[in-house]
Amino acid sequence: MTSQHREPVTRDRIIDAALHIVDGQGLGRLTMRRLGDALEVEAMAIYHHLPRGKEELLDGLVAHVAVDPLSATAGGEWQDRLRGWAAGYRERLLEHSGVLPLLVTRRNPAALDGTTASVQEVLGRAGLREETAATGAHTLMGYLIGHAALEARGRALSEAGGPGGAIDWDLRFTGGLDVVLAGLAQS
Amino acid sequence: MTSQHREPVTRDRIIDAALHIVDGQGLGRLTMRRLGDALEVEAMAIYHHLPRGKEELLDGLVAHVAVDPLSATAGGEWQDRLRGWAAGYRERLLEHSGVLPLLVTRRNPAALDGTTASVQEVLGRAGLREETAATGAHTLMGYLIGHAALEARGRALSEAGGPGGAIDWDLRFTGGLDVVLAGLAQS
DNA sequence: ACCTGAACACCGTTCAAGT
DNA sequence: ACCTGAACACCGTTCAAGT
């Protein structure tokens, strides 16, 4: 805290600063040079903490938005547990909607596949047979990511003065989620 | 066809060449200079046909993969019509999986929103009330895009020697689609 | 109308050098 | 160990100029 020394540059501070840039200015404006500026350091210093460079930086952003359903608040029916997890995940994705395109890329497989496996385990514990649980996990993850993408686009467009300002996205999301859960309970 | 003149550069040829680069080398390697090379022209010539530059180019790619459910082969139950449309859309998305991240961005709203509206119309004609049809359209579009993203990632990873080579993606996709359709029919 | 050449303000990354 | 300066091979885009 002595004012003559700046905060040490750490992996966590780098990811945080990068997320801040993406949230405020968009993914396209996240450059190593700008990130260095935000950390009050030359861009080249970042490579000392992230040897794989920008690739590793983007992997870190993806990992940061992931939410695991097993660690989400437990209790209640499996439908309600998944509803709680989905609500949290959706919130996170919209808060950092700039990273959404990164989820769609091959990037950081562990983050997405780990979450999918956890969803499958929740469904398995609920009594669904393995193949149904696997399909259900993919369906839920697909819906979650896809709907978040549509919602992020829709919200940004209506903010920019486009049509569709009348859409109640909360209702749309929970409504669609209920459709998927109803279909799942029945299979 | 006189061999001394090369093919004239048109908007369509530019989009085609760009799609070819994205499919073969990935979105990250689509540059104006490389695109110019493919067309046997200087990169700057492209701006004459696409005044908005790379932005307009990427918009064109998104529009190219869109499939409208109203123009898809008609006939039969609405579920079967949507199944046919979804199968076609999925195929297109996987064929050009490099453009998937572009769908997630704000880019070319007309392409995605138009498709969503068409899905809603199909559901509306099928007798669902308006709010249910709207939710259903978003749910289906969300599932389609999200699942395609997961599938593209999954296929690429297992090709690269990762785990999960045992997943039957066709079965996963139709299974998940049936879950959504079953939930919809019941709402 | 259609294309080129040169230029501008950027990128990510490497590498030797400093402390 | 941690950071910097200079350099390299790229980007997208503008603009005047050619035909």
Side-chain angles (χ1 to χ4, degrees):
Chain A
M1 282 294 180
T2 49
S3 63
Q4 45 186 330
H5 293 95
R6 60 183 172 216
E7 291 283 308
V9 176
T10 62
R11 224 192 105 96
D12 280 355
R13 277 195 67 221
I14 295 173
I15 304 282
D16 264 29
L19 212 51
H20 191 256
I21 292 175
V22 172
D23 293 344
Q25 312 184 245
L27 187 61
R29 289 184 62 79
L30 174 62
T31 70
M32 300 301 270
R33 284 169 167 90
R34 235 187 298 267
L35 185 53
D37 278 354
L39 295 163
E40 298 187 271
V41 103
E42 293 298 316
M44 300 76 198
I46 298 169
Y47 289 83
H48 200 266
H49 302 270
L50 275 60
R52 275 178 37 248
K54 195 165 189 182
E55 199 76 11
E56 190 170 354
L57 177 66
L58 298 181
D59 283 357
L61 295 184
V62 172
H64 195 275
V65 301
V67 178
D68 196 284
L70 291 176
S71 61
T73 50
E77 293 275 335
W78 61 272
Q79 284 98 333
D80 285 332
R81 292 191 54 196
L82 286 175
R83 265 188 267 262
W85 160 75
Y89 208 145
R90 166 182 175 242
E91 199 173 2
R92 195 86 145 223
L93 287 175
L94 292 176
E95 208 171 350
H96 306 296
S97 65
V99 310
L100 259 171
L102 299 179
L103 289 190
V104 169
T105 318
R106 195 169 331 184
R107 235 170 271 291
N108 202 354
L112 259 194
D113 294 348
T115 309
T116 307
S118 292
V119 175
Q120 182 172 343
E121 194 170 327
V122 171
L123 292 174
R125 287 184 192 171
L128 280 74
R129 50 181 262 273
E130 191 178 341
E131 187 53 31
T132 312
T135 297
H138 269 106
T139 310
L140 280 167
M141 282 297 285
Y143 171 69
L144 208 56
I145 293 175
H147 194 280
L150 291 175
E151 180 173 352
R153 272 174 33 96
R155 284 184 186 274
L157 288 171
S158 69
E159 264 175 40
I167 296 181
D168 183 337
W169 286 104
D170 287 3
L171 207 67
R172 270 288 197 291
F173 176 74
T174 53
L177 183 60
D178 286 347
V179 165
V180 176
L181 290 176
L184 252 176
Q186 169 181 3
S187 65
Chain B
M1 283 294 177
T2 49
S3 63
Q4 43 186 333
H5 294 95
R6 58 182 173 219
E7 290 284 308
V9 176
T10 63
R11 224 193 106 96
D12 280 355
R13 276 194 68 218
I14 294 174
I15 304 284
D16 263 30
L19 212 51
H20 190 256
I21 292 175
V22 172
D23 293 344
Q25 311 183 246
L27 187 61
R29 290 184 62 79
L30 174 63
T31 70
M32 299 303 270
R33 284 168 166 91
R34 236 186 298 267
L35 185 53
D37 278 354
L39 295 162
E40 297 187 272
V41 104
E42 293 298 315
M44 301 76 197
I46 298 169
Y47 289 82
H48 200 266
H49 302 270
L50 274 59
R52 276 177 38 248
K54 194 165 189 182
E55 200 77 10
E56 191 170 353
L57 177 66
L58 299 181
D59 283 357
L61 295 184
V62 171
H64 195 276
V65 302
V67 178
D68 196 284
L70 290 177
S71 61
T73 51
E77 293 275 335
W78 60 273
Q79 285 97 332
D80 285 332
R81 291 191 54 196
L82 287 175
R83 265 188 267 263
W85 161 75
Y89 209 145
R90 166 182 176 242
E91 198 173 3
R92 195 86 146 223
L93 287 175
L94 293 176
E95 207 171 352
H96 307 295
S97 64
V99 311
L100 259 171
L102 299 178
L103 290 190
V104 168
T105 318
R106 194 169 331 184
R107 232 169 274 290
N108 201 352
L112 259 193
D113 294 348
T115 309
T116 308
S118 292
V119 175
Q120 181 172 343
E121 195 170 324
V122 170
L123 291 174
R125 288 184 192 171
L128 279 73
R129 50 181 262 273
E130 191 178 340
E131 188 54 30
T132 312
T135 298
H138 270 106
T139 310
L140 280 168
M141 281 297 285
Y143 171 69
L144 208 56
I145 292 174
H147 194 280
L150 291 176
E151 180 173 351
R153 272 174 33 94
R155 284 183 186 273
L157 288 170
S158 69
E159 262 176 39
I167 296 181
D168 183 337
W169 285 104
D170 286 3
L171 205 68
R172 269 290 197 289
F173 176 75
T174 55
L177 182 61
D178 286 347
V179 165
V180 176
L181 289 176
L184 253 176
Q186 170 182 3
S187 65

